[in-house]
Amino acid sequence: MTPSRALRAAAALVAVTVALAACSPAPATAPGSNDGAGVIGVSLPTTADALWSRGGDALNRELSARGYRVDLQFAASDARTQAAQVQNMLTKSVDAVVVAPLASGDLSASIAAADEAGVPVVAFGRSLDGLDVGGAVAFDAAALGRAQAEALLADLADAPRTATASSSPSPAATPGSPGTETAEPEAVAPETAEAETARVAVLSGADSDAWEVERYAAALAALQPAVADGRIEIVSGATPEAAAVGGRTAQAQADAAEKRVRELRAGDPGDVPTTVLALGDAVTRGVVTALTTEAPEAEGETATPTPSPEATDRGDGDAEPAPAPLVVGSGADAPTVRALRDGDLDATVFADPRALVSATADAVEALIADRDAPDEAGDEVAPSILRADDVEELIASGWISADEL
């Protein structure tokens, strides 16, 4: 396996941006005697992803250490719940709100209410696209997508290969936008398609999420040269709509990704992917589940003499099933890291939310004091490309323990 060091050094940096409004809002209330420096409401998407559960713990510790009382809540992957949480925090007269948005549109009314009340809002981890907030300390979605695509291309030689491309033309890997195309477009197969070509399936989260679409578009753009020269063909997920697995919650997305991979693996042998790019932490967990566990039996299923498609494809019954695809995912949840250690996952792109905590607390502190936040963009955080030999380093960082694996 190719060591990750060189790729990590070459990976695009994830910019941490602190974007301040022209006029910083005044604090909503004077800090009470029982609240130390003030009360900060924090609304994060879900505890189902370690990104948010551990990022929330780190943010809570940092703000508490600076004298604030923290009201930390999780929205169970529901945008309307998150909007209600922010509104309730305003009703309770918090001094500032930190939010990792599930959907910017659903937060528009709450953000407007915060602005009217003079309560500063800081986006954490993900930006609030199209909404005017006091500050944003966020990972760059495009940089994450590029890093994942680059990791896949770097390890392409390790993917199972097919001697000839499938008879279906390779869809153009041109990033689309939601609502503009619902089917994977037809395109002329590259002239070099007769050479060994890796078949890539791209899976992503909701195509209605601008942040996810930005990550998808960057990943597909990075893959485009390999499509053009015939090294890969996109056999599934050539548009945001086609790549989206669906599912409102993190668990629903994981379940949908698991089902998608099982269906792809059971399809026509010429279209079975040899490589999977899983864009999203929940999506990655679903892909890992599909490749490491037996498919659940359908409710009420009974035995039948009809052979499965896999058995039919083997012909004489002696041939082995298609090898598991090479998978590049994202996140560092326990199932993902375990799969990485055991060789079921080739690589995962890890953006550590703990690296954003200090800059987020700085922005909160400045805005509550009615000061401009620091002019500098903040520390730059590189997304780490983790492979099996990096698991011990991840454990040493305190992100995950050996017992969890």
Side-chain angles (χ1 to χ4, degrees), residues 3 31-32 39 71 88 110 113 132 135 152 198 208 228 232 283 310 327 360 386 396:
V39 182
D71 179 10
N88 289 338
S110 298
D132 188 15
L152 183 148
S208 59
I232 67 173
V283 172
E310 185 175 270
V327 180
T360 302
L386 303 180

Side-chain angles (χ1 to χ4, degrees), residues 79 83 87 103-115 128-132:
Q87 187 63 57
S104 296
D106 288 282
L107 284 171
S108 58
S110 298
I111 300 302
D115 183 63
L128 277 156
D129 295 317
L131 298 180
D132 188 15

Side-chain angles (χ1 to χ4, degrees), residues 80-97:
R80 288 172 294 182
T81 296
Q82 186 171 59
Q85 285 178 346
V86 173
Q87 187 63 57
N88 289 338
M89 290 170 182
L90 298 174
T91 300
K92 292 187 291 186
S93 298
V94 296
D95 295 276
V97 171

Side-chain angles (χ1 to χ4, degrees), residues 340-370:
L340 192 67
R341 178 200 63 190
D342 296 343
D344 298 307
L345 185 67
D346 176 69
T348 186
V349 173
F350 176 52
D352 193 338
R354 297 173 299 179
L356 306 180
V357 163
S358 181
T360 302
D362 287 345
V364 167
E365 207 164 50
L367 291 167
I368 285 183
D370 201 15

Side-chain angles (χ1 to χ4, degrees), residues 348-399:
T348 186
V349 173
F350 176 52
D352 193 338
R354 297 173 299 179
L356 306 180
V357 163
S358 181
T360 302
D362 287 345
V364 167
E365 207 164 50
L367 291 167
I368 285 183
D370 201 15
R371 301 192 314 264
D372 289 338
D375 291 333
E376 65 268 18
D379 296 333
E380 290 181 327
V381 182
S384 299
I385 311 299
L386 303 180
R387 294 184 173 81
D389 59 355
D390 297 309
V391 170
E392 290 302 321
E393 183 179 336
L394 190 65
I395 293 172
S397 77
W399 175 260

